Amino acid sequence: MKLSVLLDRARDHALPVIANITDDDLSRPTPCADYDVKALLDHLLHVVVEFQKLAAKQDADFSHTPAYPDWRAQYPAETAKLVDAWGEPGATDGIAGNMGMPAQTVGGLVLLDLTIHISDLAQATGQRFEPDGEVFTEVHALVTQMGPMATEMNVFKPAVDAPADASPFEQLLAATGRDPRWSA
């Protein structure tokens, strides 16, 4: 399935989670120990913005994460731009900007972030989240393919054991080093 379609489906599942985050939620911890909800919102929005550049074969800047005070309005707008950027002819061809990786793989990374970090935000704010089935399939394949390297580069923590009755998505979260049933 085309990457932009998968990103659009991920966006459809992400936006309700974003819309239900309240100001009172912003200082809550998340499954990502380095981020509270507001910091994770800023991080994910920065990823969404910078990966638009990568789709256009421009260099991205991840040297700092700016604060996005208008994140409620920016998420719908910037994720729509992300979908459009990765839907442009040639976006998944060649090498993506300064990432030095195949563009198709880089596009998969933003799909992964838009799925896993939305799950983190949902857990942190007491919401339920389940990704689109085809998005899950693609993200699962990416985690399986890149998991050891991602762990080595500290992108993922070492995998943890999932509960015996874990859903496939909970098993995927465990593969990224997250407690699939984390709560604050």
Side-chain angles (χ1 to χ4, degrees), residues 15-85:
L15 290 180
V17 172
I18 299 294
N20 287 316
I21 295 174
T22 68
D23 288 345
D24 290 341
D25 291 328
L26 297 179
S27 61
R28 289 177 179 254
T30 71
C32 301
D34 296 341
Y35 298 111
D36 64 10
V37 168
K38 178 61 171 107
L40 187 54
L41 283 164
D42 287 343
H43 166 74
L44 183 56
L45 189 51
H46 188 59
V47 165
V48 167
V49 168
E50 293 301 308
F51 272 71
Q52 293 169 40
K53 295 176 187 174
L54 292 167
K57 310 297 187 278
Q58 298 169 358
D59 290 344
D61 180 4
F62 294 109
S63 63
H64 71 287
T65 300
Y68 292 93
D70 196 22
W71 56 270
R72 284 183 179 90
Q74 287 179 284
Y75 262 96
E78 294 299 335
T79 54
K81 290 179 190 174
L82 179 74
V83 170
D84 290 346

